[in-house]
Amino acid sequence: MRRLLLLLGTMALGLVLGIYVLPSEGSVELGPTTIDRGKGITVLRGAIFRGARDVGTLVAIYADLSRSEPIIVETQGRPLSEVTPDALAVVNGSFFTPEDRPTGLLVSEGVRLHPFVAKGGAAGSGVLTIEGRQVQLHERAGFKVGRPRFAVQAGPRILEPTGERGIRTDDGLRANRTLIGGSADGRLAMAVVHGREGGHGLGLSLFELQEMLALLAERHPELAWASALNLDGGDSTGLWVSTPRVRLRETVSVPFALALRARSAP
């Protein structure tokens, strides 16, 4: 009885936080995928299963930084699909306070929008930077900001800068997820896991998210991730892609977004 009450209490807390905790139903699997290429980005879409149950959608975006670049945009309460209409793709940004302030470093187009935070769990344990079109993931400890063109501080680190797994155990906390990182071939990678509507236990835990990246690398080695950083998730998770037209709706407004825009021809 005590264990049952503990489980029910944990589930109730999960409902409040938008994160669901349920007993294991088997390992996650990646269903059939489609891949679209063009306009400087590659877009992969696939269904996610846990056992026989369809628990969500994976959309991963790979950006050639010679043809596109990421920027950080204030949403001003607008849905992601309306933030930057001419963008190639838009996802929700990193973590923020109840007052809609960022919790860690943000740099866009070389302009520092929020300072680096050296301590504190809410700030995030990793920093992803782009300098000279090179994507790098850094540990927070000992990180020096320098003058990156783009930077976002968040966490935890799903795949370490070395490519090793960053999540050791599965806490069973499942939710919609958003990732940013670097691909094995040097592209900027972003991904969203969006659970199906109408049920609990949808989406992935951080450990399962790590497993999903491994499955993706097995299925499509050319789309393997070299590093990955967890961004804000849960109800904040959303995505919009212009071509192919894809929209996964966020259920709460986020104060800022990460957008990919095409580079001007030289």
Side-chain angles (χ1 to χ4, degrees), residues 103-125:
T103 58
L105 176 68
L106 287 181
V107 178
S108 181
E109 300 179 275
V111 178
R112 192 176 305 184
L113 306 178
H114 192 268
F116 171 65
V117 179
K119 297 181 180 180
S125 61

Side-chain angles (χ1 to χ4, degrees), residues 168-233:
R168 304 300 180 185
T169 59
D170 191 349
D171 59 11
L173 300 178
R174 301 170 185 165
N176 294 343
R177 303 290 181 183
T178 309
L179 281 176
I180 190 169
S183 69
D185 62 2
R187 287 180 288 179
L188 176 67
M190 302 190 300
V192 161
V193 169
H194 214 264
R196 305 294 186 199
E197 297 179 359
H200 299 160
L202 305 184
L204 298 179
S205 68
L206 293 176
F207 185 86
E208 289 177 322
L209 184 61
Q210 185 176 250
E211 293 295 310
M212 184 56 53
L213 292 181
L215 292 172
L216 178 60
E218 291 177 5
R219 179 84 60 84
H220 302 286
E222 75 281 9
L223 300 179
W225 289 53
S227 61
L229 184 66
N230 181 60
L231 297 180
D232 195 11

Side-chain angles (χ1 to χ4, degrees), residues 46-80:
I48 301 171
F49 294 87
R50 186 181 294 109
R53 190 182 187 198
D54 182 348
V55 297
T57 298
L58 168 69
V59 179
I61 302 166
Y62 301 81
D64 177 353
L65 293 178
S66 68
R67 302 177 62 189
S68 61
E69 69 171 336
I71 58 172
I72 297 170
V73 184
E74 291 190 33
T75 67
Q76 299 178 338
R78 295 168 294 177
L80 296 180

Side-chain angles (χ1 to χ4, degrees), residues 12 28 47 63 83 87 184 206 246 250:
V28 293
V83 168
L206 293 176
V246 183
E250 68 280 12

Side-chain angles (χ1 to χ4, degrees), residues 10 30 35-36 49 82 104 109 116 124 142 163 176 209 254 265:
T10 305
L30 179 61
I35 299 175
D36 297 277
F49 294 87
E82 299 176 10
E109 300 179 275
F116 171 65
N176 294 343
L209 184 61
V254 294

